[in-house]
């Protein structure tokens, strides 16, 4: 069973939500031991390129749909349809493998395993959100785990880190939860911190479902 993405410091669930909008995405997350395995493979890059903007290991995720900035009131109506979708889908067998970069600026690790099912899940998640009347940026789905971003003018470090990660082959693991994640906490010049809004187990129907 996947561990939830770490909740960051902010208002408790009992307190009223004061923000007018929240930045939202839907994702899968590797379990802790798979993330720790990748972190060990990244240790030489951590040491060699400390100025890169490294994502926190607890925030690593595979984005299925990035919804962008939504009114807070638009989020609750998404939950029942997404819960139903998750309940009808089996867990996926995945693994992290290799590394690469986007435009010499974003370092990532690749994903392998049940890729056909992963693409179908991403497509169905996006369709379900659109059926709820939520418009969001249409981006091609490229399964990956974002690890770091380069500093301005220092793209060479990203390219070298990707080359060093290319031989990495991680163990297989089961993606068993669909996460609805918000990043309305921790905005500003520092790292983005994510907060799980809700998580649904794949293949787990409710008692009344």
């Amino acid at each position: 069973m996947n561990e939830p993405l770490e909740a960051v410091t902010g208002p408790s669930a009992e307190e009223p939500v004061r923000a007018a909008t929240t930045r939202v995405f839907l994702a899968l997350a590797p379990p802790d031991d798979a993330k720790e395995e990748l972190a060990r493979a990244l240790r030489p890059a951590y040491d060699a390129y400390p100025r890169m903007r490294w994502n926190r290991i607890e925030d690593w995720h595979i984005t299925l749909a990035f919804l962008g900035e939504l009114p807070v009131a638009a989020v609750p109506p998404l939950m029942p349809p997404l819960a139903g979708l998750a309940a009808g889908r089996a867990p996926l067998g995945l693994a992290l493998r290799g590394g690469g970069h986007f435009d010499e600026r974003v370092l990532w690790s690749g994903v392998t395993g049940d890729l056909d099912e992963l693409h179908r899940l991403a497509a169905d998640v996006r369709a379900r959100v659109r059926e709820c009347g939520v418009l969001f940026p249409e981006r091609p789905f490229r399964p990956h785990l974002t690890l770091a971003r380069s500093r301005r003018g220092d793209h060479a470090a990203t390219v070298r880190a990707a080359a060093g990660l290319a031989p990495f082959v991680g163990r297989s693991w089961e993606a068993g939860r669909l996460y609805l994640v918000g990043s309305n906490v921790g905005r500003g010049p520092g790292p983005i911190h994510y907060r799980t809004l809700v998580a649904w187990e794949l293949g787990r129907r409710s008692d009344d479902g």
Side-chain angles (χ1 to χ4, degrees), residues 61-156:
H61 59 268
I62 301 166
T63 300
L64 302 178
F66 178 74
L67 308 187
E69 199 84 16
L70 298 182
V72 169
V75 176
L78 297 175
M79 295 183 181
L82 290 169
L85 173 62
R89 304 303 284 265
L92 284 70
L94 301 175
L96 301 174
R97 181 172 183 174
H101 59 83
F102 296 136
D103 299 326
E104 300 184 353
R105 292 180 296 180
V106 178
L107 175 68
W108 51 261
S109 179
V111 180
T112 188
D114 294 339
L115 293 183
D116 288 344
E117 287 300 320
L118 181 59
H119 278 268
R120 275 192 283 270
L121 177 60
D124 289 348
V125 162
R126 295 175 183 210
R128 202 63 62 94
V129 171
R130 285 193 293 269
E131 289 168 3
C132 293
V134 174
L135 301 179
F136 58 94
E138 290 289 349
R139 299 175 179 174
F141 178 55
R142 293 190 283 184
H144 67 280
L145 198 73
T146 298
L147 304 173
R149 289 171 173 80
S150 64
R151 296 286 182 182
R152 186 184 299 274
D154 190 19
H155 300 333

Side-chain angles (χ1 to χ4, degrees), residues 18 22 31 100 105 115 178:
R18 295 181 176 84
T22 183
R105 292 180 296 180
L115 293 183
L178 173 64

Side-chain angles (χ1 to χ4, degrees), residues 154-180:
D154 190 19
H155 300 333
T158 305
V159 175
R160 290 193 293 266
L165 191 58
F168 173 74
V169 179
R171 70 165 190 84
S172 297
W173 45 273
E174 185 178 87
R177 286 184 176 181
L178 173 64
Y179 293 92
L180 178 64

Side-chain angles (χ1 to χ4, degrees), residues 158-202:
T158 305
V159 175
R160 290 193 293 266
L165 191 58
F168 173 74
V169 179
R171 70 165 190 84
S172 297
W173 45 273
E174 185 178 87
R177 286 184 176 181
L178 173 64
Y179 293 92
L180 178 64
V181 184
S183 59
N184 58 315
V185 179
R187 290 184 191 169
I192 297 173
H193 291 173
Y194 301 109
R195 173 171 168 260
T196 298
L197 304 178
V198 66
W200 302 281
E201 291 193 31
L202 300 181

